[in-house]
Amino acid sequence: MADTLEESEPLLSRAHGGSGRDCPRGVLTCSSVQESPGSGPVQSWSGAHAHQAAGSTPGQGDRPGAAARRDLCLDQAVVLIEDAIQYRSINHRMDARSLWLYRWYYSSSSQWILSFTIFLILALAFVETPSSLTRTSDVRYRPAPWEPPCGLTEGIEALCLLVFAADVSVKSYLIGWAQFRRNPWLLAYLVVLVASLLDWTVSLSLVCQEPLRVRRLLRPFFLMQNSSMMKKTLKCIRRSLPEMASVGLLLAVHLCLFTVFGMLLFTGEKDAGQDRERLTYFFNLPEALTTLLVLLTTANNPDVMIPVYSRNRAYAIFFIAFTLIGSLFLMNLMTAIIYNQFRGYLMMSLQTSLLRRRLGTRAAYEVLSSVTAEGEAHPKRLGVKPEDFLQVLQKVQLDSDHKQAITEKLHSRADGLLSTDEFQKLFYEFDKRVIKEHPPRPEYQSPFLRSTQFLFGHHYFDYLGNLMALGNLVTICVFLVLDAHVLPKDRDDFVLGILNCIFILYYLLEMLLKVFSLGLQGYLSYSSNVFDGLLTIILLPGTPRPCPSPALRTCSLTPEARAASAAGRPHVAPAEGVLEISTLAEYGFPHRGWRPATLGLLSLWDMTRLVNVLIVFRFLRIIPSMQLMSLVASTILDLIKNMRAFGGILVVIYYIFAIIGISLFQGVIVAPRNSSLASVNGSAPCGSFEQLEYWPNNFDDFAAALVTLWDVMIVNNWQVFLDAFRRYAGPWSEVYFVLWWLVSSVIWVNLFLALILENFLHKWDRRSHLQSLTEELEDTSEMTQELPFRDVLEEPTEEELVEKLSRHPHLQLCR
């Protein structure tokens, strides 16, 4: 009885931690909405008060208005549940017109258009001047690229900017002006959009001859503002900056001290080795500082030490001490600091997502419970009618498997209104990824067939297939080793072809036996079987066939195989089935003068290599069968799924630095015949840019700039780039590359390492917990990303949900 009275009290009033909105009983949650501008003030509809104002009893004289209010309630519940599914904020307008616009904005077609627009405006950099539409970026061989006419890319960019203008307009309208002013990302969105439009206007007024396009630097912002995970990642980086700055200061002091020590040690007055060291690496302060900075990444080790170490082994102490302190201590300390700041990042993201999901479902409950209270002047118990919930569920954009699971769980309970806890538990099905049950196996009457079905349907039969795949891979490796010094035209792959034929015939037999045991639908219900079957069909060979005539010595590319054909011995074609059809389509039937080695895009030798590649690729089937490897593979897949935010950050920094690099270094790397700095007689110093022929690494177009930045990020031989651009562009160019090294190799790579550690630690430390948790789950579900961390995530408290719901800016949630 006490529970009933407590349920009937106004939930979101001052007594329950509300924001001061005391609402009388019977006030319709969904009716207390803030209308859009121009449609009047906030309208609060009360079940009892509205009837009294109309001079009628509940249910009489206002049926059209009650039906409209009911439809609005259901639409609000649909939107709130969709917000919970997608982890979206519920702080948006809730009137009928805004709800329609909101659902349209977040529809798959609208979001696809927005995503494609972001991709299109970012991809314009490959086509705009300087264009990347050339076969090579090597300055020695690159032809003149096609340059788009003025107005072509600008027109496409104008369409993209119009889409972004519509996007920011819709977002600002849906959340309201008050929320828009407090949202720094939307304000920055508007500023970037206005600046891009102004720069676009300047570009057209100068007939596309402007020296700098500022809007190209602003384009990555459109990608960042559209991803909440990227925003959280940037917040994590910003939070880590003070600690990283302290370690960076220690690194700077470390570099400066050892630079001074090095210049004092390697004066070159008494020893030729010292003089060589000084002239090469410690000639002046900037040169010495750059040398030790590169040594910090171990890219020039031990080259920088050899000149003096060859004269006196004691000089190795200097370089060893520098590497120990800088590379092994300070750089790893930087990694530890970044991981310490990032350690709770993934948990915080999941906790926020869980809060949004629970908040959305709780708001939907409040809305639907008001529908139940309508028509009752003094409701004794509040709750949600199952039929109302089912009506809402049918409108929600959700896959049919989850809908079916929620419906079955709803039907399994007793009749009556849904309480708050029961309503929330229905949506626990969102935390499970529904697995479709495999079709039943075919039933055979014969005891022999049933025994055969049991034998070849057992998982030990899969182990035998894995063993055969391993044997096939081993034979390919053996022949690769044996034929390593034989030219492709002189190889005789007759034995390897026979072995591949035997193995592929086994794959075919394995596929047919599995189809017999599981049935066709059951066989196709396993993704591993689909993977194996598809590759088997592609690899499907024919039987050995002799050449039809000694005159047509064309059964193989090799002289040995042609001789075998002339002698009437059988010879296996490298691949038939799908590959054989491709071969016949490419070369036709054997005829006089047929030369497969020189005709077509793929020769028979290429077909053989393709077969071997597919066989090696098929060997990946063993991964799910090995528990430890399967755990590692699943963790890697989880990393890939969570890499969108980090991949987006990497795209942003690459894009910005590539555009800056094009502005600074376009055209500075010239072909040897046009540059007096480049060697034209082959006498370039060993290890230099010219001697290593790094000519494709330049900033003459966007694609080449991306590859150059990648090569520098790997820090292998990045001192070559520092030296070359210092000679071609000036000493100030080193600042650009050092900044790129700090942002990419130090900050981003360490963030990526922190993500890997976070995922692996939770997945490996909780293996036993996950196994027990999996056993408790239903057979028709599997764990999603949240469930592995369920022991860490905390369910939001009732007071927390009530507090947040009471502060909804556009919906007075009260009863």
Side-chain angles (χ1 to χ4, degrees):
M1 189 69 176
D3 294 338
T4 304
L5 293 176
E6 186 178 353
E7 279 281 323
S8 64
E9 289 297 324
L11 179 62
L12 304 180
S13 61
R14 286 192 181 94
H16 288 270
S19 60
R21 299 178 184 173
D22 284 327
C23 301
R25 298 182 185 180
V27 172
L28 297 180
T29 306
C30 58
S31 303
S32 302
V33 298
Q34 181 175 351
E35 301 293 336
S36 57
S39 59
V42 174
Q43 300 178 3
S44 294
W45 296 85
S46 170
H49 292 264
H51 293 306
Q52 294 174 3
S56 59
T57 60
Q60 297 178 0
D62 65 339
R63 293 188 183 276
R69 291 194 297 273
R70 174 183 170 82
D71 292 340
L72 179 59
C73 288
L74 298 181
D75 290 341
Q76 289 176 352
V78 169
V79 171
L80 290 170
I81 292 176
E82 290 178 350
D83 288 342
I85 295 173
Q86 301 297 332
Y87 305 107
R88 295 194 296 253
S89 172
I90 64 172
N91 295 328
H92 51 80
R93 296 182 185 272
M94 301 298 291
D95 58 275
R97 184 172 59 182
S98 298
L99 290 177
W100 177 87
L101 180 61
Y102 186 84
R103 295 198 73 192
W104 174 85
Y105 176 78
Y106 281 107
S107 63
S108 57
S109 58
S110 299
Q111 291 301 304
W112 184 89
I113 292 174
L114 182 59
S115 300
F116 178 76
T117 303
I118 295 173
F119 167 78
L120 186 61
I121 197 170
L122 292 177
L124 285 178
F126 292 97
V127 184
E128 293 174 328
T129 304
S131 173
S132 302
L133 303 180
T134 56
R135 183 178 59 86
T136 178
S137 62
D138 195 317
V139 295
R140 298 170 297 176
Y141 315 120
R142 182 181 57 202
W146 174 82
E147 301 293 349
C150 181
L152 178 60
T153 57
E154 286 74 14
I156 298 175
E157 188 175 11
L159 294 177
C160 296
L161 294 178
L162 288 177
V163 173
F164 295 140
D167 178 52
V168 70
S169 300
V170 172
K171 283 183 177 179
S172 60
Y173 169 77
L174 289 175
I175 67 172
W177 176 246
Q179 296 290 323
F180 177 80
R181 288 181 300 175
R182 293 195 294 267
N183 193 319
W185 280 98
L186 287 181
L187 291 175
Y189 194 2
L190 184 61
V191 171
V192 169
L193 191 59
V194 172
S196 299
L197 289 172
L198 291 176
D199 190 67
W200 179 84
T201 305
V202 172
S203 179
L204 284 185
S205 63
L206 297 178
V207 199
C208 306
Q209 299 298 322
E210 72 280 13
L212 178 64
R213 299 177 185 176
V214 179
R215 65 184 184 276
R216 298 181 72 180
L217 290 173
L218 303 178
R219 288 174 185 171
F221 179 84
F222 299 127
L223 176 64
M224 288 191 298
Q225 65 83 29
N226 198 48
S227 171
S228 59
M229 291 298 293
M230 290 182 61
K231 297 174 185 177
K232 294 178 182 178
T233 305
L234 288 176
K235 185 177 180 180
C236 174
I237 296 175
R238 184 182 61 185
R239 187 177 55 189
S240 306
L241 284 178
E243 289 80 6
M244 287 190 292
S246 62
V247 180
L249 182 60
L250 287 177
L251 278 173
V253 173
H254 172 68
L255 280 173
C256 292
L257 288 179
F258 272 83
T259 298
V260 174
F261 291 157
M263 295 191 68
L264 292 177
L265 284 175
F266 311 124
T267 58
E269 295 179 356
K270 300 179 179 180
D271 196 303
Q274 289 183 349
D275 189 64
R276 180 183 171 192
E277 183 79 19
R278 181 183 66 83
L279 294 177
T280 306
Y281 301 109
F282 291 88
F283 182 72
N284 52 40
L285 184 62
E287 186 74 23
L289 193 62
T290 303
T291 297
L292 292 182
L293 178 63
V294 174
L295 182 61
L296 195 65
T297 64
T298 68
N300 58 354
N301 185 69
D303 299 351
V304 67
M305 182 179 66
I306 292 301
V308 290
Y309 179 65
S310 61
R311 299 289 180 176
N312 191 334
R313 67 180 70 219
Y315 284 114
I317 299 176
F318 171 83
F319 297 98
I320 293 175
F322 176 82
T323 305
L324 281 175
I325 298 174
S327 300
L328 301 183
F329 178 71
L330 292 179
M331 293 300 294
N332 287 324
L333 181 61
M334 176 79 75
T335 302
I337 288 177
I338 293 178
Y339 173 68
N340 182 62
Q341 293 295 321
F342 182 81
R343 184 171 53 186
Y345 163 72
L346 184 59
M347 294 299 102
M348 290 172 56
S349 299
L350 292 176
Q351 188 67 53
T352 302
S353 300
L354 182 63
L355 175 61
R356 285 190 170 186
R357 173 163 288 183
R358 300 295 182 252
L359 196 61
T361 54
R362 181 56 186 271
Y365 172 82
E366 298 295 330
V367 169
L368 291 177
S369 63
S370 66
V371 178
T372 305
E374 185 174 2
E376 299 181 18
H378 301 284
K380 296 182 180 180
R381 185 174 183 273
L382 294 176
V384 176
K385 294 180 180 179
E387 55 269 22
D388 292 338
F389 175 72
L390 289 176
Q391 185 177 353
V392 168
L393 187 62
Q394 296 304 317
K395 296 182 180 180
V396 173
Q397 294 181 359
L398 183 65
D399 59 276
S400 57
D401 295 330
H402 278 96
K403 283 186 179 181
Q404 182 180 358
I406 295 175
T407 303
E408 291 176 354
K409 191 171 184 179
L410 180 64
H411 290 324
S412 64
R413 60 176 296 276
D415 296 334
L417 298 179
L418 291 169
S419 64
T420 305
D421 293 337
E422 292 175 333
F423 190 84
Q424 287 282 12
K425 289 179 180 179
L426 288 176
F427 291 96
Y428 287 169
E429 297 297 325
F430 289 156
D431 299 334
K432 304 173 184 177
R433 187 182 301 115
V434 177
I435 300 178
K436 296 181 180 179
E437 295 183 357
H438 298 291
R441 297 188 178 188
E443 298 181 0
Y444 298 104
Q445 301 298 327
S446 172
F448 173 75
L449 294 180
R450 287 198 299 266
S451 301
T452 305
Q453 181 185 28
F454 173 79
L455 178 63
F456 295 110
H458 201 274
H459 61 274
Y460 284 158
F461 187 58
D462 293 331
Y463 295 158
L464 177 61
N466 293 337
L467 185 61
M468 295 294 291
L470 177 61
N472 197 355
L473 182 63
V474 170
T475 58
I476 293 176
C477 294
V478 168
F479 278 91
L480 288 177
V481 173
L482 295 177
D483 296 340
H485 302 288
V486 182
L487 295 177
K489 65 178 182 178
D490 297 330
R491 292 182 182 179
D492 184 7
D493 292 320
F494 178 77
V495 177
L496 181 60
I498 290 292
L499 292 176
N500 282 345
C501 178
I502 295 174
F503 281 112
I504 297 172
L505 283 176
Y506 172 81
Y507 299 153
L508 176 63
L509 179 63
E510 180 189 28
M511 180 182 68
L512 295 177
L513 290 175
K514 284 187 175 181
V515 171
F516 165 79
S517 302
L518 305 175
L520 181 60
Q521 293 182 351
Y523 178 84
L524 296 177
S525 63
Y526 294 90
S527 58
S528 58
N529 289 341
V530 175
F531 175 78
D532 289 344
L534 180 61
L535 289 181
T536 300
I537 293 174
I538 296 176
L539 294 171
L540 185 62
T543 56
R545 56 175 173 84
C547 279
S549 171
L552 299 178
R553 296 186 296 271
T554 54
C555 291
S556 175
L557 298 178
T558 63
E560 294 81 1
R562 291 176 182 172
S565 175
R569 298 196 304 268
H571 177 72
V572 178
E576 293 186 354
V578 174
L579 290 181
E580 176 68 8
I581 294 174
S582 302
T583 304
L584 294 177
E586 183 67 36
Y587 302 111
F589 289 96
H591 56 273
R592 191 177 299 277
W594 191 53
R595 297 296 301 278
T598 58
L599 296 178
L601 296 176
L602 289 176
S603 66
L604 289 179
W605 167 245
D606 294 327
M607 290 291 185
T608 304
R609 290 192 299 170
L610 180 58
V611 169
N612 294 333
V613 168
L614 293 177
I615 290 174
V616 174
F617 186 65
R618 191 181 184 275
F619 183 71
L620 296 177
R621 58 172 285 172
I622 71 167
I623 291 179
S625 303
M626 302 180 64
Q627 184 178 3
L628 184 61
M629 187 181 296
S630 178
L631 179 63
V632 175
S634 63
T635 306
I636 293 175
L637 290 178
D638 288 340
L639 286 173
I640 294 175
K641 294 177 182 178
N642 291 308
M643 270 298 295
R644 287 182 296 178
F646 287 87
I649 295 294
L650 187 63
V651 169
V652 168
I653 62 175
Y654 260 93
Y655 201 99
I656 293 176
F657 271 86
I659 296 299
I660 296 176
I662 292 174
S663 302
L664 296 177
F665 307 120
Q666 182 185 358
V668 299
I669 302 295
V670 294
R673 61 179 179 272
N674 297 327
S675 175
S676 58
L677 297 176
S679 174
V680 295
N681 56 5
S683 60
C686 181
S688 64
F689 187 90
E690 295 80 9
Q691 188 269 332
L692 295 173
E693 296 187 343
Y694 280 4
W695 302 108
N697 292 289
N698 53 68
F699 290 88
D700 291 350
D701 57 70
F702 187 75
L706 294 179
V707 176
T708 303
L709 290 175
W710 171 264
D711 292 338
V712 175
M713 188 182 78
I714 303 302
V715 299
N716 183 32
N717 275 353
W718 75 300
Q719 73 276 8
V720 176
F721 296 92
L722 290 174
D723 174 70
F725 282 90
R726 178 179 57 81
R727 290 186 285 108
Y728 284 97
W732 52 266
S733 62
E734 294 181 351
V735 177
Y736 170 85
F737 289 101
V738 171
L739 285 177
W740 169 248
W741 168 73
L742 286 173
V743 173
S744 61
S745 296
V746 177
I747 297 178
W748 187 88
V749 170
N750 281 304
L751 278 174
F752 180 61
L753 179 60
L755 175 66
I756 294 177
L757 290 174
E758 187 80 6
N759 278 269
F760 268 91
L761 287 177
H762 280 88
K763 213 169 187 68
W764 284 60
D765 292 344
R766 292 174 173 82
R767 279 183 293 176
S768 58
H769 172 73
L770 293 180
Q771 292 174 358
S772 61
L773 183 61
T774 305
E775 295 174 356
E776 296 174 359
L777 292 174
E778 300 177 1
D779 294 336
T780 58
S781 63
E782 66 178 358
M783 292 179 295
T784 59
Q785 179 64 19
E786 286 184 1
L787 281 183
F789 306 101
R790 178 55 59 88
D791 58 331
V792 180
L793 297 179
E794 297 180 359
E795 285 287 339
T797 62
E798 180 75 10
E799 292 75 11
E800 187 178 5
L801 294 176
V802 169
E803 175 66 21
K804 290 186 176 297
L805 288 176
S806 65
R807 297 188 178 185
H808 196 288
H810 302 288
L811 183 63
Q812 294 182 6
L813 291 167
C814 52
R815 290 197 292 254

